[in-house]
Amino acid sequence: MKAGAKRRIWQCAAVLAGSAAFVLRFSYSTSFVWPGYYGYDSAIFQFIGRAWAGGTVPYAGLFDHKGPLIFFIDMLGWLIHGRAGILVVQTLSLAVTAWGLYRLGREYLPRPWALGAAGLALVYLARTFDEGNMTEEYSLPFLAVSLWLAARYCRRAQEAGGAVRHPWRYAAVYGLSFGAILMLRVTSAVSLCCFVLVICIRLAAARQWKNLGANALGFAGGFAAATGPFAIYFAAKGALGEALYGTLWYNVFYATRFSIRDYYAGNPWAASTLRRVFLDFGAPLFLLAVLCLAALAQKPRSALAWGALLSAAGSMYLLFSNRPYVHYYMIVAPLLPLAACLAAELWRGRKGGRARRASALCCAALCGVYVCSLAVRLPRWGADSFMAKYPAEVQHYNTVARQMAQLIPENEWDSVLAYNVDAQFYLAAELAPCQKYFIHQDWQAAADPAMQAEIARLFREAPPKWVAAGPVENAAVAALLEEKYTPASEFAGFEEYAGYTLYRLKDKR
């Protein structure tokens, strides 16, 4: 075997080993280093993935408002080796992400600096990884590779100094990536969409219509490759409409009914996170915006700077106008190598005059301040994780869930429903719901009154024999619990999970 091939094998092994160590440490909801904790959103994905592996069709059998790819990933994990099997998929995903981040940096940076930029992005990712096994995490390999190809085109166009054809194969990767991210959580594709827009405008301005058409076909082909198999599967199962509702239409209702002003005004926890949102999680976006403006002052037609500026602005709007959940910010990680590329370009142009030199020095200083701010925060990051703060509560929660399950006769396990309860309840108690709307029903139905009515109808027409319920806001369901059920357990309260009571359907006499 040639020396170059051996070196590449060792490099791949090192990336895989580093990725495995990363998810073992930071993916609290799937790592066996943190036993017993399934997470919040991650628990939903794991439960639906496990059910899919057992034959249940997502959306038709169990509802959640994320794309099917996240459930498919968790299904693969459960088929490999249960909860820990998801780590295999996570490791491969992160390895591709790390490689894409490095390749992105290498377009404009020497190897050591590209490694440093990729490492910085991974440090930021560790900061925002939350519980792990989230849709944003699996979007990252598609974002990193697509941004690398876009940056490569921008560099070649800059070096050529004129119109350059954009390879249709790159567009196919963009389409594949957009389709895959659509099958996860479409808003995570904001930076990809911004660069695609800039490239299309550039080709149209150069009147490269034939090349633009070839790229459109490539994008469509990649998009079809990512979304087509899911469309075919759900159509064959008679659940395509339900899958489209869960993936797209419900989220339109969810987004349009959300008010950021009302959310922060009525949520003390959210209001307390504002400083962290802007100065910690959002800091790379401000840094990138400043670098882009400085780069455009030197080169007003820089496609890289325009794409990055739109990405920063779009991400600011998306993230700052949304709920301040830390995992949303994972999609910012690929923008850090992009910022390093722009800083390098500014530094190379510092000899073009006093203004350019001052601009380059200021931008370099800003980059240094940001890196130092990350280093200063590192010692405090461990205290931010759920598992670092509440391991005892997780164990208590699991114990209570299992104790509730023991009250249910085994021959009635097929008639159980948790209402306004976390998915971790099912995984800890080893129970399965008898209805498709199986967690946080009132919260989900708040976005769509039709769902609220359907939940009440299902509860009325096919009442479960056992219901583990948190506080109920749906008046129809609350009345049914009062009329037809009797408490079978004491109220169990949890600081992070609210509290539950187990109800038993009254005997008909």
Side-chain angles (χ1 to χ4, degrees):
M1 185 181 294
K2 294 183 179 180
K6 284 185 178 180
R7 184 172 64 252
R8 282 191 292 272
I9 290 174
W10 280 109
Q11 288 171 347
C12 289
V15 171
L16 286 170
S19 299
F22 185 101
V23 295
L24 278 172
R25 171 59 181 84
F26 294 108
S27 186
Y28 304 112
S29 66
T30 56
S31 173
F32 47 77
V33 175
W34 311 94
Y37 179 58
Y38 295 93
Y40 291 94
D41 287 2
S42 178
I44 301 171
F45 308 149
Q46 290 181 60
F47 186 76
I48 296 179
R50 187 177 74 169
W52 196 356
T56 300
V57 178
Y59 307 108
L62 293 171
F63 175 82
D64 190 51
H65 62 107
K66 294 295 190 295
L69 182 53
I70 184 65
F71 309 134
F72 182 79
I73 288 170
D74 281 45
M75 179 192 72
L76 289 179
W78 278 95
L79 289 174
I80 292 170
H81 192 63
R83 173 176 176 264
I86 300 170
L87 289 169
V88 176
V89 187
Q90 288 181 282
T91 297
L92 295 174
S93 172
L94 185 59
V96 175
T97 298
W99 175 78
L101 294 173
Y102 170 71
R103 294 305 308 172
L104 170 58
R106 278 293 287 140
E107 290 300 318
Y108 290 86
L109 301 168
R111 182 174 287 108
W113 288 96
L115 284 170
L120 185 66
L122 292 175
V123 171
Y124 179 85
L125 180 60
R127 178 74 179 99
T128 56
F129 211 64
D130 205 359
E131 61 194 34
N133 190 42
M134 310 296 275
T135 59
E136 294 81 5
E137 173 188 345
Y138 299 113
S139 298
L140 290 176
F142 299 103
L143 289 176
V145 172
S146 295
L147 291 181
W148 161 47
L149 295 178
R152 170 174 281 192
Y153 166 74
C154 293
R155 178 181 59 78
R156 290 176 176 175
Q158 177 181 311
E159 291 173 351
V164 175
R165 291 171 60 85
H166 183 275
W168 67 266
R169 294 176 182 82
Y170 290 9
V173 175
Y174 305 155
L176 178 73
S177 298
F178 181 74
I181 295 172
L182 175 65
M183 296 293 98
L184 291 163
R185 185 171 183 265
V186 67
T187 50
S188 297
V190 58
S191 58
L192 168 60
C193 293
C194 290
F195 269 93
V196 169
L197 175 63
V198 167
I199 291 169
C200 288
I201 292 174
R202 186 180 181 88
L203 294 178
R207 298 185 178 277
Q208 293 181 307
W209 306 116
K210 187 176 180 180
N211 186 223
L212 185 59
N215 277 269
L217 290 174
F219 186 95
F223 180 81
T227 59
F230 290 108
I232 293 170
Y233 171 82
F234 286 111
K237 295 293 184 178
L240 181 58
E242 291 162 299
L244 288 172
Y245 173 76
T247 303
L248 297 175
W249 312 135
Y250 173 88
N251 291 295
V252 174
F253 300 140
Y254 181 73
T256 54
R257 290 177 180 270
F258 175 71
S259 167
I260 189 66
R261 180 181 298 177
D262 294 344
Y263 180 78
Y264 276 100
N267 191 328
W269 168 81
S272 69
T273 66
L274 271 175
R275 180 178 179 183
R276 186 174 64 169
V277 163
F278 288 106
L279 299 182
D280 188 351
F281 305 145
L285 297 175
F286 293 114
L287 174 63
L288 180 61
V290 171
L291 293 172
C292 290
L293 293 173
L296 289 170
Q298 292 186 9
K299 299 176 182 178
R301 295 188 177 184
S302 170
L304 182 72
W306 277 113
L309 181 61
L310 289 178
S311 297
S315 298
M316 284 182 191
Y317 175 78
L318 171 70
L319 297 170
F320 296 161
S321 65
N322 209 331
R323 297 165 179 83
Y325 298 152
V326 60
H327 59 269
Y328 286 176
Y329 289 80
M330 274 194 257
I331 62 172
V332 176
L335 300 182
L336 281 165
L338 201 58
C341 292
L342 286 164
E345 286 293 280
L346 287 166
W347 188 253
R348 293 187 187 105
R350 70 187 184 281
K351 297 180 181 179
R354 182 178 298 177
R356 287 194 172 194
R357 186 163 54 252
S359 175
L361 289 172
C362 287
C363 289
L366 279 175
C367 292
V369 168
Y370 175 68
V371 173
C372 291
S373 72
L374 280 180
V376 168
R377 293 189 183 100
L378 273 174
R380 300 197 300 268
W381 285 2
D384 284 344
S385 75
F386 180 87
M387 287 302 294
K389 290 182 177 180
Y390 305 105
E393 181 166 344
V394 170
Q395 296 166 7
H396 175 52
Y397 179 95
N398 291 346
T399 299
V400 169
R402 291 165 187 145
Q403 289 173 345
M404 285 185 175
Q406 290 172 0
L407 296 176
I408 303 172
E410 188 173 349
N411 63 345
E412 295 181 354
W413 284 358
D414 60 348
S415 188
V416 177
L417 182 69
Y419 197 92
N420 290 347
V421 170
D422 293 273
Q424 166 129 346
F425 176 86
Y426 294 104
L427 292 165
E430 290 293 327
L431 294 171
C434 61
Q435 295 182 7
K436 64 183 287 187
Y437 301 107
F438 69 105
I439 45 100
H440 295 297
Q441 289 88 340
D442 287 348
W443 179 83
Q444 287 184 330
D448 185 2
M451 182 188 291
Q452 187 178 49
E454 185 179 2
I455 289 171
R457 180 187 62 80
L458 290 171
F459 217 98
R460 183 175 58 255
E461 294 178 358
K465 293 180 180 179
W466 296 86
V467 178
V472 178
E473 297 177 6
N474 187 317
V477 174
L480 286 169
L481 282 175
E482 180 71 22
E483 176 188 352
K484 296 187 176 183
Y485 289 83
T486 184
S489 76
E490 296 293 330
F491 177 83
F494 315 96
E495 182 176 344
E496 291 292 317
Y497 295 92
Y500 310 147
T501 301
L502 182 67
Y503 294 89
R504 177 175 56 83
L505 186 66
K506 294 177 181 178
D507 295 329
K508 294 182 179 179
R509 301 198 183 275

